[in-house]
Amino acid sequence: MSALSRLTPAIEPGTVWLVGAGPGDPGLLTVHAANALAQADVVVHDALIGEGVLALAREGAVLEYAGKRGGKPSAVQRDICERLIALARAGKRVVRLKGGDPFVFGRGGEEALALAQAGIRFRIVPGVSSGLAALAIHGVPATTRDTNHAVVLATGHAAEGAGGTDWAALARTGAPIVLYMAVSTLPSIAAGLIEGGLAATTPVLVVHAATSTREEIIEASLAELPALAQAGRIASPAIVAIGAIARVRAALAEHLLAYRQAASA
Ligand SMILES: C[S@@+](CC[C@H](N)C(=O)[O-])C[C@H]1O[C@@H](n2cnc3c(N)ncnc32)[C@H](O)[C@@H]1O
């Protein structure tokens, strides 16, 4: 047993670990996440998990894809929870592998509640959330003392309709905004932020497929975002950072080493 593998407890049969896989690069897995993959009987994973991460699963482990299908997210989410419960009741050592951090826009909270209600014991292994990783690797600090003392992490998924996010109110906080799942709603989000007083010239950094070999970066202003989105220039998955922090990158760029992963994700 290596010194690193001793850091993680054994997964007990009949329990579920909700594990964050980070943004894609296997090098950004936590030690606990890598050790959990090396132990699990079954790995139930989402769509955004890179092959490089899944390749770290124990030989003989069953890999089950649990992505959303057919535009029925709530029904499928219930199926996923039921599957986790069934696997645990069958005595399996289950890793539920979720992109980024399992408790940041990942429905990890819903799955933990379902497990608790079913009397299944579980553990949470935090992961590096894509919203912070995508910025950090490209020289954008989520906070600096000069620019901001708060940062907003928001989903664009709830942008439209009843119960949607009040973007104008978020703009008025003055805090930079880091958007997840916002590609299809960027035009209305940008309009709401400008309505709330955010300058049309506010800098924006978009990172598509952060830390993967397909990664793309776009620098723009808030006013340019809708046209970029409507022209199909911003593909999912993407993180969109809006605010003065996006400008810090320019000051670091000359000396910041390009992000490279050792193996493809
Ligand atoms: C269902 S949310 C899951 C977020 C995840 N729990 C996390 O902490 O990163 C999926 C969204 O996360 C973002 N995302 C996840 N991985 C990403 C990556 N490698 N690059 C850019 N965005 C990513 C995208 O906004 C995507 O639509």
Side-chain angles (χ1 to χ4, degrees):
M1 203 185 232
S2 74
L4 284 181
S5 61
R6 274 197 292 272
L7 295 176
T8 303
I11 306 179
E12 290 173 41
T15 65
V16 177
W17 286 25
L18 297 173
V19 176
D25 177 0
L28 289 176
L29 281 172
T30 64
V31 171
H32 285 330
N35 289 339
L37 283 170
Q39 294 182 49
D41 298 318
V42 185
V43 178
V44 181
H45 65 91
D46 284 340
L48 285 178
I49 309 293
E51 281 174 22
V53 171
L54 292 176
L56 298 175
R58 181 175 67 80
E59 207 180 319
V62 175
L63 303 183
E64 279 193 20
Y65 171 60
K68 307 271 184 286
R69 291 158 300 170
K72 293 181 187 162
S74 48
V76 174
Q77 186 59 52
R78 195 179 58 233
D79 291 350
I80 295 170
C81 293
E82 284 172 4
R83 181 69 185 143
L84 296 176
I85 291 163
L87 286 167
R89 287 190 175 144
K92 302 293 184 194
R93 295 173 298 170
V94 184
V95 162
R96 170 70 174 115
L97 192 61
K98 304 177 78 69
D101 182 281
F103 275 11
V104 177
F105 302 128
R107 297 186 178 229
E110 289 165 52
E111 292 176 17
L113 279 170
L115 292 168
Q117 279 159 12
I120 306 290
R121 286 178 308 135
F122 59 91
R123 187 184 295 278
I124 314 294
V125 178
V128 179
S129 189
S130 58
L132 299 179
L135 305 192
I137 61 173
H138 296 300
V140 177
T143 64
T144 77
R145 286 191 296 172
D146 290 336
T147 52
N148 59 305
H149 297 138
V151 63
V152 174
L153 304 184
T155 171
H157 214 63
E160 317 269 10
T165 306
D166 184 344
W167 296 104
L170 284 187
R172 284 191 285 273
T173 67
I177 299 170
V178 179
L179 296 171
Y180 295 65
M181 293 178 278
V183 170
S184 61
T185 47
L186 277 175
S188 60
I189 293 173
L193 293 174
I194 289 172
E195 186 192 316
L198 222 52
T201 53
T202 303
V204 173
L205 179 74
V206 179
V207 187
H208 163 70
T211 80
S212 83
T213 50
R214 301 171 308 284
E215 184 177 85
E216 280 177 40
I217 302 170
I218 298 175
E219 286 178 297
S221 68
L222 183 56
E224 291 165 336
L225 260 191
L228 287 169
Q230 276 153 355
R233 294 272 315 281
I234 301 175
S236 189
I239 290 296
V240 181
I242 301 168
I245 53 169
R247 206 175 278 127
V248 179
R249 180 165 189 255
L252 303 180
E254 193 186 339
H255 295 95
L256 181 66
L257 295 168
Y259 187 81
R260 293 268 183 275
Q261 51 177 280
S264 63

